[in-house]
Amino acid sequence: MYREKIDRYIDAHQNEMLEDIAALCRIESTKDSYRAGKPYGLRCAEVLGEALHLGESYGFSINNYDNYVGTIDLNDKEKQLDILAHLDVVPAGDGWTVTKPFEPLIKGGKIYGRGTADDKGPAVAALYAMRAVRELDIPLKKNVRLILGTDEECGSSDIEHYYSVEKEAPMTFSPDASFPVINIEKGHFHGQFSASFEKSEALPRMLSFESGVKANVVPAKAWALFEGLEGDAVEALIGQAEKDLGIHFTVSAEEGRLKIEAEGENGHASTPWKGKNALTGLLALTERLPLADSPQFEKVKALNRLIPHGDWLGKNLGIAQKDELSGELTLAFSILRITEEELSGEFDSRCPICANEENTLKPAKAAMEKDGFVFSTESMSAPHHVSEDSEFVRTLLEAYEVYTGRKGGCVAIGGGTYVHDLKNGVAFGASMPETENHMHGPDEFAVISELLTSAKIFAQVIVKLCG
């Protein structure tokens, strides 16, 4: 119903939609220091103001929640559907070749620029879906609200602020991922541990070890400093270690001491097998070195037993598990600091629906403490699941299938989205499953045809759920 009218409307407004996306993407809306009335800095407040101006100029009612979040309402009827998008972006970074990060460019059927895919392009596609329904006078019985946040990339405190004063709609989707429907987001278990030990002067010995920047990133680099090690002996071990571990090692002399650097590949903690963990690689190599016995070295061996290189399922920690809907538990050993007298570390585990504190947190804690570590994590976040048999999810999948000709289905992910804490929230769009749009990287882009299709799909969903 109304498909032909909606299709014609969206296609006729393609250029205008791209101009609106470009206007938002020219604003470098990365989180900045607090200013009075601007919790995330000047640019985040600026982009929110620009987006709300667009909404108001198209005849919608708007509201600004203290520059945390803005809303655009389709009508003043009973609350039914929220569309949750965000206008903040990650820093531009280096390596852009097609255009400068905040100078949007249309080329080869794509629009390039930071935020085009994540998440300004999809936000505008949702706005144009609302425009199509409104300007085509399609009758609705209930309201659709577009919620525009400004802190998704740095913790989502914006949404916490919004939901402290507003109730969740009966249904919510976020166009901040890919099609078809992401209805399961795994739980999160952030393990933190430490240990202290007596300093040993026995040679050869490790003086320090360092790897990792963020708990949710598989570290690509690690280094350790040693005293009393001969370079020739180390070089002989490295060749075989590189073959066994898939990590590249470099040895250098530093003020009479030996430094070993490890290089792997970054990855996200939700998919640790896609990276090459330099931390666990260097830890494995360290155990192979002819170091003198010491309490510190015993802790290195213990870590290699508990979270060995290549074990991203938590098998050795005793928490490996899976279920049919959400798949396997995954684990990334992501941060480690070792000195002569103490160490501290962190791992990031994404947990299936079947995981809980009894079968995950407590066994991990017991295993770590058995080897003399202090395990300080006391809780874990629950997984998020919306039934694929719900009317809401079935409606989304039906619209996706109609417009793409593809079979729809639900997807479980290890990462978290804006809707993780919403009772009836899923991620839905706005790119096709196979599209690699360089989100968070250089030359980020959105495929224009996918944005247009998304707007049409969103419009159909609005009609079906609110009409």
Side-chain angles (χ1 to χ4, degrees):
M1 185 181 296
Y2 302 111
R3 178 175 175 177
E4 290 184 6
K5 289 183 177 180
I6 290 171
D7 287 0
R8 287 198 298 270
Y9 180 93
I10 296 298
D11 289 339
H13 288 78
Q14 172 180 328
N15 291 338
E16 191 177 356
M17 185 172 85
L18 293 174
E19 288 171 4
D20 287 347
I21 293 171
L24 297 181
C25 290
R26 291 188 187 100
I27 302 171
E28 189 175 350
S29 52
T30 53
K31 187 176 182 178
D32 203 352
S33 57
Y34 173 86
R35 301 290 182 93
K38 299 175 175 62
Y40 310 120
L42 297 175
R43 292 301 182 88
C44 285
E46 180 185 354
V47 76
L48 182 59
E50 179 64 22
L52 291 178
H53 168 72
L54 287 175
E56 189 173 43
S57 70
Y58 297 137
F60 298 108
S61 61
I62 62 171
N63 198 2
N64 187 329
Y65 292 76
D66 306 315
N67 277 325
Y68 285 84
V69 165
T71 59
I72 299 173
D73 286 296
L74 186 52
N75 56 46
D76 59 0
K77 300 180 186 296
E78 181 184 352
K79 181 181 296 188
Q80 172 75 344
L81 175 66
D82 283 348
I83 302 174
L84 181 54
H86 69 91
L87 302 173
D88 59 309
V89 296
V90 297
D94 299 323
W96 290 73
T97 61
V98 178
T99 187
K100 293 180 180 179
F102 299 101
E103 295 181 8
L105 176 69
I106 294 172
K107 182 179 180 180
K110 303 171 182 177
I111 179 168
Y112 288 85
R114 176 61 84 231
T116 52
D118 182 28
D119 189 34
K120 296 174 181 178
V124 173
L127 176 62
Y128 271 71
M130 293 169 64
R131 279 194 71 185
V133 172
R134 183 178 185 275
E135 294 180 21
L136 292 171
D137 293 322
I138 298 174
L140 298 182
K141 296 179 180 179
K142 296 184 180 180
N143 185 36
V144 179
R145 169 173 283 187
L146 177 59
I147 304 172
L148 300 169
T150 55
D151 187 42
E152 191 274 343
E153 302 290 2
C154 297
S156 300
S157 62
D158 54 342
I159 294 303
E160 290 180 21
H161 179 83
Y162 174 77
Y163 285 113
S164 71
V165 296
E166 291 284 1
K167 291 183 179 180
E168 178 184 341
M171 306 171 188
T172 304
F173 76 78
S174 178
D176 190 23
S178 62
F179 292 111
V181 171
I182 297 172
N183 73 318
I184 296 175
E185 298 176 15
K186 291 180 178 180
H188 189 197
F189 176 28
H190 181 195
Q192 297 177 298
F193 58 89
S194 61
S196 56
F197 33 79
E198 186 179 347
K199 179 179 177 180
S200 174
E201 300 287 351
L203 299 178
R205 64 176 181 149
M206 181 170 67
L207 298 175
S208 58
F209 182 112
E210 188 166 332
S211 181
V213 177
K214 295 180 66 177
N216 65 350
V217 176
V218 174
K221 295 185 182 297
W223 61 266
L225 199 61
F226 300 89
E227 184 179 25
L229 268 183
E230 295 295 331
D232 292 343
V234 174
E235 291 285 2
L237 292 168
I238 281 180
Q240 186 61 47
E242 288 188 332
K243 292 179 182 178
D244 295 343
L245 304 171
I247 302 295
H248 177 66
F249 299 102
T250 304
V251 180
S252 60
E254 192 172 283
E255 297 180 355
R257 296 163 176 173
L258 205 67
K259 185 176 186 180
I260 301 179
E261 297 176 89
E263 184 175 352
E265 293 180 10
N266 280 134
H268 195 277
S270 63
T271 52
W273 59 90
K274 293 184 179 181
K276 293 182 179 180
N277 196 319
L279 186 163
T280 54
L282 182 54
L283 208 60
L285 173 63
T286 300
E287 185 172 355
R288 300 184 185 191
L289 300 176
L291 301 181
D293 290 335
S294 69
Q296 180 206 62
F297 197 29
E298 288 304 313
K299 285 292 181 285
V300 168
K301 294 175 183 177
L303 288 175
N304 278 323
R305 287 194 303 271
L306 292 164
I307 319 176
H309 185 69
D311 178 11
W312 50 71
L313 301 178
K315 292 180 180 178
N316 283 37
L317 204 54
I319 60 174
Q321 56 193 292
K322 64 179 178 180
D323 59 50
E324 186 176 348
L325 289 176
S326 53
E328 293 180 303
L329 177 147
T330 62
L331 185 147
F333 192 172
S334 46
I335 295 177
L336 181 62
R337 307 281 185 267
I338 305 177
T339 69
E340 295 177 77
E341 297 180 327
E342 61 184 14
L343 66 78
S344 63
E346 302 179 29
F347 63 78
D348 186 314
S349 177
R350 307 303 168 101
C351 308
I353 294 172
C354 61
N356 54 51
E357 293 188 2
E358 288 296 322
N359 62 23
T360 306
L361 189 151
K362 289 183 178 179
K365 179 180 176 70
M368 297 293 294
E369 291 183 344
K370 184 178 179 181
D371 269 308
F373 296 94
V374 176
F375 195 76
S376 56
T377 299
E378 298 181 350
S379 64
M380 53 188 286
S381 65
H384 174 70
H385 178 209
V386 176
S387 173
E388 62 184 274
D389 295 324
S390 68
E391 178 190 356
F392 176 40
V393 172
R394 290 201 309 268
T395 299
L396 299 180
L397 290 175
E398 180 184 352
Y400 168 77
E401 291 176 346
V402 166
Y403 268 94
T404 66
R406 306 183 186 196
K407 177 63 179 174
C410 288
V411 179
I413 62 170
T417 75
Y418 237 178
V419 299
H420 188 90
D421 296 320
L422 301 183
K423 181 180 179 180
N424 199 26
V426 299
F428 182 57
S431 64
M432 295 301 155
E434 71 280 2
T435 300
E436 177 50 65
N437 49 32
H438 302 169
M439 188 183 295
H440 290 196
D443 293 335
E444 176 185 344
F445 67 84
V447 178
I448 294 171
S449 62
E450 292 182 6
L451 290 173
L452 295 172
T453 299
S454 295
K456 296 170 184 177
I457 291 173
F458 298 161
Q460 285 289 347
V461 166
I462 290 170
V463 172
K464 186 66 183 289
L465 294 177
C466 302

